[in-house]
Amino acid sequence: MPDHAEPPKPRTPSGPAHAITAPPRRPVEAVLFDFHGTLAQVEDPVSWVIAGAAECGTALDRGRATILADRLITAGRAGGPLPNRIPPQLAEVWANRDLYEYAHRAAYTGLAGTVNTGVEGLAEALYERLLRPEGWVPYPDTPGALHSLREAGVPVAVVSNIGFDIRPFFAAWGLDHLIDAYVLSYEVGRCKPDPDIFRRACAALRVDPERALMVGDSPADAGAVRAGCAALVLPAAEAGRPNGLGAVLDLALGRAG
């Protein structure tokens, strides 16, 4: 007989197995969407450069446009990856680019101006294209997701760190009637991940933050949790490719996208 008695084994309850109950999912009464990388993407870089040069009266072949596009993206393109370096003379406008229209324009035209493109006026033409609907491509699943939320009576706000008005884009795409509020950093003086910008969006939709879902593609969007919102971060897709917005419908409406 062993020196120490073994502890009694737990008794297995008789009858049917007991399922593990997941915590209840809190209801979603409103959805906040990031704009770039979530609902829409900037146009293909090469097409962007070709179109901008054409507006300056210069026709570029695709080979040259590709080289220029690579250089311009490295320097810093609005809607593209962060630039490798910010020239000292642009440091102030870069820091304020999402708070003031003038700073946004000065930052990105200044960065483009550091590239010797050989096309006079190209930096301004490229920036002007950014301000027009044709410079952007809504993701293929954006209309369906917005329509489904509208049909379900779930209000929607667009919350964006941006230095210009994107409302005309949604009007041009025939989606403006599906957006209930726009909370843009340059208009409210707050940038994500500041929790105040998310609180303002919730106030505009008249919903408690605890009942709102923020959908974006970056850690800045996940900052909504500090305001009390739930957050869903999706990887940004290339222009024209589905962006996985069906997951929003699963969370907000309780069904698969």
Side-chain angles (χ1 to χ4, degrees):
M1 184 172 181
D3 294 335
H4 301 283
E6 294 182 3
K9 296 180 179 180
R11 298 176 62 187
T12 302
S14 58
H18 293 270
I20 298 175
T21 304
R25 186 165 63 192
R26 61 186 183 180
V28 173
E29 297 179 1
V31 177
L32 318 178
F33 283 104
D34 170 51
F35 174 61
H36 170 244
T38 303
L39 294 178
Q41 184 60 273
V42 285
E43 67 181 322
D44 167 76
V46 176
S47 300
W48 171 61
V49 171
I50 290 174
E55 292 180 13
C56 298
T58 299
L60 294 180
D61 61 65
R62 192 164 186 86
R64 185 182 173 199
T66 300
I67 293 172
L68 291 181
D70 289 342
R71 293 175 180 172
L72 288 161
I73 290 173
T74 300
R77 175 195 185 187
L82 293 176
N84 294 335
R85 175 182 174 274
I86 303 298
Q89 70 272 21
L90 297 177
E92 183 175 355
V93 290
W94 174 260
N96 293 320
R97 68 193 184 282
D98 290 329
L99 293 174
Y100 306 101
E101 288 179 276
Y102 82 87
H104 197 275
R105 176 183 286 272
Y108 285 107
T109 56
L111 290 171
T114 65
V115 178
N116 182 14
T117 64
V119 180
E120 186 176 354
L122 183 58
E124 286 289 340
L126 292 175
Y127 188 82
E128 286 297 324
R129 190 158 181 85
L130 183 75
L131 305 181
R132 299 200 294 267
E134 55 265 33
W136 294 81
V137 182
Y139 284 117
D141 35 3
T142 292
L146 294 178
H147 276 287
S148 294
L149 292 170
R150 172 65 61 177
E151 292 169 1
V154 177
V156 166
V158 176
V159 185
S160 180
N161 286 354
I162 202 161
F164 56 91
D165 190 9
I166 56 176
R167 295 174 183 85
F169 299 179
F170 288 86
W173 299 333
L175 302 175
D176 53 322
H177 65 291
L178 305 175
I179 308 298
D180 298 284
Y182 296 85
V183 183
L184 311 181
S185 60
Y186 84 100
E187 292 182 336
V188 302
R190 295 287 188 276
C191 292
K192 297 177 291 185
D194 186 331
D196 187 60
I197 194 170
F198 304 107
R199 295 191 188 107
R200 291 188 183 212
C202 292
L205 298 181
R206 299 182 180 181
V207 65
D208 292 333
E210 291 74 15
R211 300 294 188 224
L213 172 66
M214 174 66 203
V215 182
D217 70 311
S218 73
D221 298 309
V225 299
R226 294 171 54 205
C229 305
L232 173 64
V233 178
L234 300 170
E238 295 178 2
R241 295 179 177 272
N243 199 33
L245 290 177
V248 178
L249 304 181
D250 184 28
L251 291 172
L253 309 181
R255 61 182 176 83

